Amino acid sequence: MAPSLTQTEPAAEQKLTQHYKLHLGQYKEIDAVFVDREAEEGKTGEPPAKYPHYLPTWDRSQSWPPLEPFEHYEHGKDADTSYPNLFPDGSDVSDLTPSIGSEVRGIQLSSLSDKGKDELAYYVAKRKVVAFRNQDFADLSIPDALKYGGYFGRHHIHPTSGAPEGYPEIHLVHRGAGDKGHESYFKARTSSVAWHSDVSYEKQPPGTTFLYILDQPETGGDTLFVDAAQAYKRLSPLFQERLHGLRATHSGIEQVNAAASRNSIKRREPVVNDHPIVRTHPATGEKALYVNPQFTRDIIGLKKEESDTLLKFLYDHLAYGADFQARVKWEAGTVVIWDNRVTQHTALVDWENGQRRHLARLTPQAEAPFETPYVAPE
């Protein structure tokens, strides 16, 4: 029997909005590239910025040549490791976890002598990240803050970030009052976690690094840190030994492309450099994993599939290592100092009430990463 003739109505055509998204690989970008001046001046009902001279600017006239090599002096090697100049009587020091993270009250960073700064560099390298509370650092003049940070190395000038007018050496982290950037970000991403060591693509990446709070939401916006030295120690001796001698490329191209896609600035042409996967700290001698998904791209000498597999294991090992991580909560007057050579971190975008989050970073560069021979554990 022939099938009966039936008439079907076409389903209503579903219209899908097409969105082209620039693919930046693992690189995540959420920072704003403009400032709502009225909101920051308190003209929209929100409290005004507490430190308006630290509001970010993006000067398109700035164009910097490639960074030149320099000889870094590691002050942590001069430290008295009993810390008499860092922790006088009355200091209150508590550890956040056994291997990473400490909180300090009762000292004033701005009053440290050079010997105290030497001890600070070594102590931070050992504890990986330290939160100093009740500091006056944000109230220093910007030139004084830069002079202080310059003791620890040559200031890095970020290729794309906002900076206070006239001071490109200051890297600013800023989400203004009423900012809703998280809404568009989370339409494309499930998480704001983006583990990294700052600007690891440079030939001489940062060492002792300072981040101080200017404004913060009532809750949220914490920063996570992971102990990359403990992560190395957790690997089997055979795996540790295999990693020695391997080098990986670190790229700043995606960061510049992300800025360009939002019509932001480019102070300097992006670079790609390679570093050892296992680097050694010059003062403590500790070995640490030195790869991160924000900037690391390939392991030299391996095929893509081999490189991707090994890097994914290392990224996951660091990201899932909650037993060698610390979470730092921000409060007024906090200065957080970490050593970019032995730790990685990620900011968290977890507050949605539009409250301002504003911080300033000093990023002294250190030595070119180097590797020392593998030593089997005893």
Side-chain angles (χ1 to χ4, degrees):
M1 180 182 296
S4 60
L5 185 63
T6 60
Q7 185 174 0
T8 59
E9 294 292 334
E13 184 177 346
Q14 185 178 10
K15 293 185 178 180
L16 297 177
T17 304
Q18 298 296 319
H19 294 285
Y20 173 77
K21 181 171 178 60
L22 178 67
H23 288 279
L24 301 169
Q26 294 265 17
Y27 183 74
K28 290 184 177 181
E29 181 67 78
I30 196 171
D31 290 340
V33 295
F34 68 93
V35 170
D36 184 337
R37 292 288 168 180
E38 289 197 349
E40 296 307 284
E41 292 172 3
K43 297 178 179 178
T44 60
E46 300 285 348
K50 295 177 182 176
Y51 294 88
H53 59 296
Y54 268 105
L55 287 174
T57 62
W58 293 266
D59 186 347
R60 296 183 181 278
S61 69
Q62 291 179 345
S63 179
W64 298 85
L67 294 177
E68 294 292 335
F70 75 102
E71 186 171 351
H72 171 69
Y73 185 82
E74 178 51 46
H75 287 282
K77 293 192 289 188
D78 297 334
D80 180 338
T81 56
S82 65
Y83 309 117
N85 302 286
L86 179 60
F87 298 133
D89 292 342
S91 303
D92 181 8
V93 182
S94 59
D95 291 340
L96 301 179
T97 80
S99 79
I100 177 174
S102 296
E103 186 175 80
V104 178
R105 299 178 187 271
I107 76 164
Q108 200 58 252
L109 289 169
S110 61
S111 299
L112 289 180
S113 65
D114 286 353
K115 288 184 177 180
K117 293 174 187 174
D118 296 344
E119 294 167 14
L120 174 66
Y122 189 87
Y123 181 70
V124 169
K126 291 294 288 184
R127 293 301 304 163
K128 312 306 183 291
V129 57
V130 185
F132 292 86
R133 307 296 189 181
N134 303 317
Q135 300 297 305
D136 62 5
F137 213 86
D139 296 316
L140 300 177
S141 70
I142 292 179
D144 283 346
L146 288 171
K147 181 180 179 181
Y148 189 99
Y151 183 81
F152 299 88
R154 182 180 72 183
H155 285 293
H156 180 259
I157 295 178
H158 198 279
T160 64
S161 70
E165 186 173 2
Y167 297 102
E169 304 90 345
I170 301 280
H171 169 90
L172 292 175
V173 179
H174 180 263
R175 279 184 64 193
D179 180 88
K180 298 294 183 182
H182 65 281
E183 294 179 354
S184 58
Y185 179 85
F186 285 121
K187 287 180 180 179
R189 296 279 193 172
T190 60
S191 171
S192 61
V193 172
W195 289 106
H196 63 286
S197 178
D198 291 318
V199 297
S200 64
Y201 49 76
E202 300 290 11
K203 189 70 174 177
Q204 293 180 248
T208 309
T209 305
F210 298 73
L211 186 63
Y212 47 105
I213 195 74
L214 304 169
D215 253 318
Q216 77 279 350
E218 292 177 5
T219 186
D222 299 348
T223 306
L224 294 177
F225 291 85
V226 61
D227 182 347
Q230 186 70 7
Y232 170 80
K233 294 174 186 176
R234 290 289 180 87
L235 300 173
S236 67
L238 188 63
F239 201 89
Q240 290 177 349
E241 186 175 17
R242 183 64 192 90
L243 292 179
H244 278 263
L246 295 178
R247 299 180 68 87
T249 58
H250 295 242
S251 169
I253 294 173
E254 294 79 6
Q255 189 175 72
V256 167
N257 285 346
S261 72
R262 298 178 302 156
N263 197 32
S264 188
I265 63 170
K266 179 179 71 174
R267 294 190 181 95
R268 200 168 51 245
E269 291 297 322
V271 296
V272 177
N273 283 294
D274 61 89
H275 301 306
I277 287 180
V278 179
R279 72 178 296 181
T280 300
H281 194 283
T284 67
E286 278 193 305
K287 296 178 171 65
L289 297 178
Y290 198 64
V291 293
N292 69 86
Q294 281 285 81
F295 302 122
T296 309
R297 297 294 170 257
D298 302 288
I299 298 174
I300 296 172
L302 297 189
K303 295 183 178 180
K304 177 174 173 52
E305 293 84 355
E306 298 166 341
S307 174
D308 288 350
T309 299
L310 183 50
L311 286 175
K312 184 179 186 304
F313 169 79
L314 294 175
Y315 298 157
D316 288 349
H317 176 52
L318 289 156
Y320 298 152
D323 49 348
F324 44 87
Q325 294 177 7
R327 182 169 182 144
V328 174
K329 297 186 72 66
W330 293 95
E331 60 185 57
T334 296
V335 178
V336 172
I337 310 176
W338 67 94
D339 195 315
N340 261 302
R341 295 167 287 196
V342 289
T343 187
Q344 296 178 24
H345 61 281
T346 177
L348 298 178
V349 180
D350 59 351
W351 76 105
E352 301 178 356
N353 56 11
Q355 291 181 336
R356 182 184 296 106
R357 184 176 185 268
H358 188 192
L359 307 96
R361 190 180 81 197
L362 303 176
T363 320
Q365 292 178 255
E367 75 286 346
F370 66 93
E371 179 182 0
T372 52
Y374 170 74
V375 177
E378 298 179 356

